[in-house]
Amino acid sequence: MVRRSGRRPGNQDTRTSILEAARASFAEKGYDKASIRGIAGDAGVDPALVHHYFGNKEKLFLAVMNAPINPGELIPQALSGPRDQAGERLIRLALTVWDSPAGAAALAVFRSALSNEWTARLLREFVVTQILRRAAGEIIDDPAEAPMRTALVATQIAGTMVARYVLRVEPLASAEPEVLVAAIGPNIQRFLTEPLPEVFKQP
Amino acid sequence: MVRRSGRRPGNQDTRTSILEAARASFAEKGYDKASIRGIAGDAGVDPALVHHYFGNKEKLFLAVMNAPINPGELIPQALSGPRDQAGERLIRLALTVWDSPAGAAALAVFRSALSNEWTARLLREFVVTQILRRAAGEIIDDPAEAPMRTALVATQIAGTMVARYVLRVEPLASAEPEVLVAAIGPNIQRFLTEPLPEVFKQP
DNA sequence: CGATGAATTCAACGGTAGATGAATTCTGAG
DNA sequence: CTCAGAATTCATCTACCGTTGAATTCATCG
């Protein structure tokens, strides 16, 4: 690569500090209520600089989400293992990710999806293609039941995320992850493998 | 040229048409994104008229919610009956309310609570004082376990509402209520009455 | 009829938002 | 040192927002 004349991209500190401020702000307020002006303020920077680096708010959001969300390894790891403990492994994976540093990005996507249409589509596609489709093939026996079973699993996991991280309902918000794994895992397991009610068995 | 200014004959029910437009708009967009200007537009009315009738946006929201949300009869009815079917009755009650005309108001409160602090407080107080506290006394044996059990129940019900009514995930959104009652009820029952994991039994 | 007052609209204020393009500062290559 | 070009800022534009007060119309009462 030929070095062209001019200032080197040496000071990319500000670029990442914008990204950090954006991640925190999106996680705390969701896509709509997080403002570029506020993010720029948190990063100690002029709002126009955000546009200079990221183009617009949508691209900034995507840039924030691109880095940390990479479930290539985690998901298969959560799916392998005793089939009758898959429920526990799924909820444990969710809690582990959300309590980790990358959890801010996950919370940002989730919170945004609850109040914004295009981020909701983003989340749906991500969940469907990256998580549920794999889980369906690995764990659920009858393919015809997979959509309903995975959707039911999604209700329990989404509800846990809403209560613990969005609404911060006690004692859930302060509970140890393993407590929730032990309490919620079996219910997810039931959605995965136990017989569905007969009323569902009609096309 | 039609003069559009000033009092127009006949229409005495503009107040209710504002309320209807507001209920629909709050349910669809939540408190923050629903605008008084948009509501007034849907009602075919000047925005200032909304203020004339309801004072401000907060009071309009409360006026919309005041009428249909009156759980005085429904809740006791859902709690009375065989104890081992309380889970099914709870999720059935939720689905019944949300699928009824009053459901728009419930959805408005819920959706707003997910992205707005003071509506979240409103929902929490309502849920705690009107629903959970009664359920705790009637169904849960050990009072010490009541907070965790009711919170777990809340995760499953809130998750169902999020998936079915907010994110509109299929096949949940189109499922018959009784299918969901049969599928989800037993899991709520488990949160209510089956033993909690030992890991929880330490203060 | 004229007066009253409620129903309704108009125009405007102050605020925040995302976005844009020109102007300025800085830095390193030649 | 010079100077191009990247980094950064400034001043604005447009578009909504909730809210307000004054102005208009009109049904009704005396």
Side-chain angles (χ1 to χ4, degrees), chain A residues 19-79:
Chain A
L19 272 176
E20 283 176 19
R23 173 156 29 101
S25 202
F26 282 134
E28 185 192 354
K29 309 176 185 176
Y31 180 81
D32 293 308
K33 299 179 87 169
S35 73
I36 287 191
R37 295 168 124 100
I39 291 169
D42 292 348
V45 140
D46 189 277
L49 195 58
V50 178
H51 285 91
H52 175 254
Y53 277 127
F54 299 98
N56 57 30
K57 192 179 181 181
E58 197 171 309
K59 288 177 184 170
L60 172 62
F61 186 81
L62 292 176
V64 166
M65 300 312 135
N66 251 6
I69 293 188
N70 185 11
E73 308 170 15
L74 297 176
I75 298 295
Q77 177 182 354
L79 295 181

Side-chain angles (χ1 to χ4, degrees), chain A residues 90 127-128 131-137 139-140 143-158 188 191-192 196, chain B residues 163 169-172:
Chain A
L90 277 177
V127 170
V128 168
I131 303 182
L132 296 184
R133 197 160 287 168
R134 311 189 193 199
I139 300 174
I140 300 172
E145 294 179 349
M148 178 60 90
R149 287 191 186 276
T150 53
L152 289 169
V153 170
T155 65
Q156 178 58 78
I157 294 185
I188 297 179
F191 282 147
L192 285 173
L196 286 176
Chain B
V169 173
E170 294 295 353
L172 278 172

Side-chain angles (χ1 to χ4, degrees), chain B residues 107-129:
Chain B
L107 179 55
V109 174
F110 190 68
R111 207 174 206 133
S112 302
L114 292 176
S115 66
N116 182 284
E117 197 44 49
W118 81 265
T119 55
R121 220 176 311 133
L122 209 68
L123 174 66
R124 247 188 311 246
E125 286 176 17
F126 173 78
V127 169
V128 168
T129 65

Side-chain angles (χ1 to χ4, degrees), chain B residues 16-63:
Chain B
T16 45
S17 77
I18 291 175
L19 272 176
E20 284 176 19
R23 172 154 30 101
S25 201
F26 282 134
E28 185 191 354
K29 309 176 186 179
Y31 181 81
D32 292 308
K33 296 179 86 171
S35 74
I36 286 191
R37 293 167 126 103
I39 291 169
D42 292 347
V45 140
D46 190 276
L49 195 59
V50 178
H51 284 89
H52 175 253
Y53 277 127
F54 299 98
N56 58 29
K57 192 178 182 181
E58 197 171 310
K59 288 178 184 169
L60 172 63
F61 186 82
L62 292 175

